[in-house]
Amino acid sequence: MTLLPCLCFAQFEDAKWIGSEQSVLYADYLPQFRISWTVQLDRASKSDRLSLLFGGNDPRLMSRNMNILGVENGADESYVKLELDAASSLLNVWRIGYTTKGKELLKSFESGTLDTYAPHTVEAHCCLGSADILLDGRKLGDVVLNPMGKGGDYIAFPQLAQIGYEMEIGQRAVIHKVEVRNYRSPYGILYEDKNLRKIGNRKKPVVYLINPSHGAMPVLRCRFALKQKPVKEATLIATARGIYCAELNGRQVGSEYYAPGVSQYNKTHYYQQYVVTAMLQETNRLHVRLGEGWWAGSQTFSGGNWNYFGDQLAFMARLLVRYEDGDSTVITTQPDNWEVCDKSKVVYASMFQGEVYDNTAASSGWKKACEATLEGHLPTEGGGTQPQVCDYSSFRLLPATTSVGLHTVLTAKNVDEVRPGVYVYDMGQNMAGVPRIKMHGLHRGQTLKFRFAEVLYPDLPEYEDKKGMLMLENIRAAMAQDIYVASGDTCEVFSPDMTLHGYRYIEITGISQPLPTADVEGLVVSSVDHFTAGFECSNPMVNRLWQNIRWSMLSNFISIPTDCPQRNERMGWSGDISVFSRTAVNMADVDEFLKKHMHAIRDVQTADGRFPDIAPIGGGFGGLLWGSAGITVPWECWLQYGDLGILADHYEAMARYIDYVDSHYFDPMTGLLVQQRQWGDLGDWLGLEDEKNDKTLLFEAYYIYDLDIMRQTALLLNKTADAERYQRRLEERKQFFIDHYIDTETGMTVFSAFNQQRKGQPIDIQGSYVLPLAFNIVEGELRQKLVERLVACIERENTTDRGVRCPPYSLMTGFITTAWISRVLSDAGRSDIAYRLLQQEDYPSWLYPVTQGATTIWERLDSYTHTAGFGGNNSMNSFNHYSFGAVGQWLINRCLGIERDEQHPGFSHFILRPEPDPTGRMTHARGYLDTRYGRIESSWQINSDSSVSFSFAIPVGTSATLLLPGKAPTELKQGNHQFTESISKRD
Ligand code: BGC
């Protein structure tokens, strides 16, 4: 482990990281743990059998409404049991009450010869339901305990929940020690009982279960007085390991959520700066609540990533009060001046699992805070593409440039009592955020549960017994459940702020009457403050699609660009932001947001140059089409916002990535860019014909695009020799592409030697033509031939990899090529086809989800259908994934025609090239794009005489080149411009 350097910083003066020494355990929400019992059978009674229990009395298994396993257990009827059977030398693993089978023997392990009456240690190392079983430190084997399935893609059973033992009549034993630790290093102790316990009963069998939960989320406090003279200004700078919410004299400091935001904390950690002058009094109270955030607790799809950055939360701050006379008071976080409490209202706060809030509790058990040094609290796992988080050798603390804030408040549209006492509220919109619930007349201690889902089980035979209930299978191992214990006040409001849910529906239980819909609100949170692009057209379905893209962007721009906001993932998947970045930079001002993300990408870049597929954290799968985000995203920012700084900062990392690709991804025999020949080398992800493609064609095309960006970037940064080198490589690879993937006679794409058996045979699917056209790999006549093939592929019927026939004008492309297909068609003068694809409503298309009620962009074009439900994809099925929303760029850049001029990044000059729908189906479109020069407006209207009226507004300080189909370019200056033109139509 790397020695921790001094983590103090000039800005923070002598401030220390402070926290609590006490761990927090909320056993019903803990799906990863190492539990061990040291036990000894009683010789006198000739005892030979003893069972140790965990996963007991999980509330989800005690109400039929809380599980889809069909069980409803009474007290002490559900648990996992490790039965030490000394007589048969077996250790049996049982699951009781988890399924309708009741009692299930899952596995029997041979224990080997045992000294029956010696002390033995029985252990289970359990992670999202997969457990290693150990006896006396020796692994006996593993077992899947989760009846829902193996791994991170399922609702996780068991949680630690209640623990204990079971004894048969007449059996006796002694428990020497029970211990629960974290699954991941440093294996911090969560629970320990060293009291010797004699167990057993002569007359009846015993099942004994206790709840090992203890503690609450740390709250820190400090009191201080000011000098009695006028204050000029007071600033607080603060950060946390975990997330924090600070209150000064009872008022929240700032208004953001989840500060300090997520980053690769061992490399880059952000802090906030607040001006708090107006909040100060003579004597002051500063209170700080901490939540797990992205530091500790659940993280990613892997249970082993629990407590990813460490297992101790901490806070660091400095308050500087300047007086008018130049004097000052400085308050910093010091263990001596700050206190921390063991018990507070926030019993538990986790991003994935939810928040547990006990409004009957008062903060108590105040004691001196401890200094949180990281020593003994850092995991040592990692390596490869996942950097070790215990390496602080290049740590830096930076001021935050982005935040997450409240964007909109939604009110529930309606409520349904889907089963007696189960109230499901529909927010009318899929969203990411937290609820705000107003409640009246509850009794003290009344406990309400809130669960969150994107969809409900439909009215289909397959889901008959679940109809109308929340569909939580796709939320997977994220618990997504808040619990509120009422104080009994006349009116109380619950609004958790240390968790995040992706949802449209909230289920509320624990009340006998539904709450009024007006009292059930959804606080939409996002790093997107407002949109910079607007779009509206004559096709209401396309308008909904536009709204869906906006909502998915809002929901997934939360501190980092994520794949989805709801399931146990919510990660910075690079492929997703790479394809969506052009839409994103148009939709909102995300310059700082994406710059911050580029830091994260650099922070996880491996020593040999690879950009991993996920940032922060690293790891994942995807390969070049994912890693290229490290090149494409800064490029998009440069072109849109015109700040060369992002390329200058990132160039070295980009160049190292290209070197990595050059030295690791090519097959020396064939010269093909083959990557690693692993499953994780993803192609046109979730494309319906992905298996019919030659993935290496996609890799090669994106590599060529990367080289082109490198060439242009090197020129911009005056690195002429580099530019020439990239130029040569680019030309070489373009030719290679044509030689290996294109039949120049027919213009058809063909298989390369990657697939020897099919080498030279036509690929000829949509997704094989898009990239060579988008990245200008083919030119002239050959380009025209490829366009014709692409059009032919779109105009014909196609069959998916799973054998589903799709009508002409179906969107057969995946995450990667969908982003480019419309642009390529418009560039080729075939906007008619682009409009047909856009306005197609049959499956598969962008509008098909809209016909099925989508309010966000779905991960799959058929995530849900009225006829087939979830089509068997119940777990890998997000309803809020922006990737397929990458068509947003085309709506702005081509339909409205507001497009940047690559020769003049940042809109100092731009292109206006609206493309009215040549098929005439869309009859008008209007919208805008806000740039640093102001708002650019564009609209067009097809008139009854088939002429088209255009209207543009160009802000002061910039100008545009107007390109209308079939017309000579015209230069337009600032001001309003109107034209009416006749434009040829295509049916
Ligand atoms: C994510 C994607 C991501 C992919 C990579 C998925 O689980 O949700 O959006 O790009 O993994 O395969």
Side-chain angles (χ1 to χ4, degrees), residues 563 567 569 573 576 621 626 682 685 815 859 876 881:
D563 54 338
R567 69 181 177 216
E569 207 151 357
W573 278 102
D576 305 45
F621 34 86
W626 268 245
L682 302 183
W685 182 239
F815 276 19
E859 182 172 25
M876 231 290 283
H881 241 75

Side-chain angles (χ1 to χ4, degrees), residues 524-545:
V524 176
V525 303
S526 181
S527 292
V528 172
D529 170 49
H530 67 280
F531 290 107
T532 51
F535 176 88
E536 191 271 333
C537 70
S538 62
N539 185 335
M541 303 287 278
V542 175
N543 292 339
R544 184 66 239 189
L545 174 70

Side-chain angles (χ1 to χ4, degrees), residues 939-987:
S939 71
W940 53 262
Q941 161 86 50
I942 302 179
N943 304 316
S944 50
D945 64 357
S946 290
S947 64
V948 185
S949 300
F950 296 94
S951 170
F952 309 108
I954 299 179
V956 178
T958 182
S959 58
T961 303
L962 176 65
L963 303 174
L964 290 182
K967 311 276 173 219
T970 323
E971 284 304 304
L972 298 182
K973 300 246 171 302
Q974 66 193 50
N976 297 327
H977 304 269
Q978 268 98 29
F979 299 87
T980 297
E981 301 282 351
S982 56
I983 285 193
S984 55
K985 211 178 148 190
R986 265 193 212 243
D987 298 319

Side-chain angles (χ1 to χ4, degrees), residues 36 79 166 182 215 289 342 412 443 455 494 518 589 626 650 691 721 760 801 917 930 956:
S36 71
Y79 43 84
E166 185 194 270
N182 276 309
R289 286 185 285 121
D342 293 345
H443 62 77
V455 283
F494 173 52
D589 182 353
W626 268 245
H650 205 55
E691 284 165 27
D801 290 333
D917 182 356
D930 290 330
V956 178

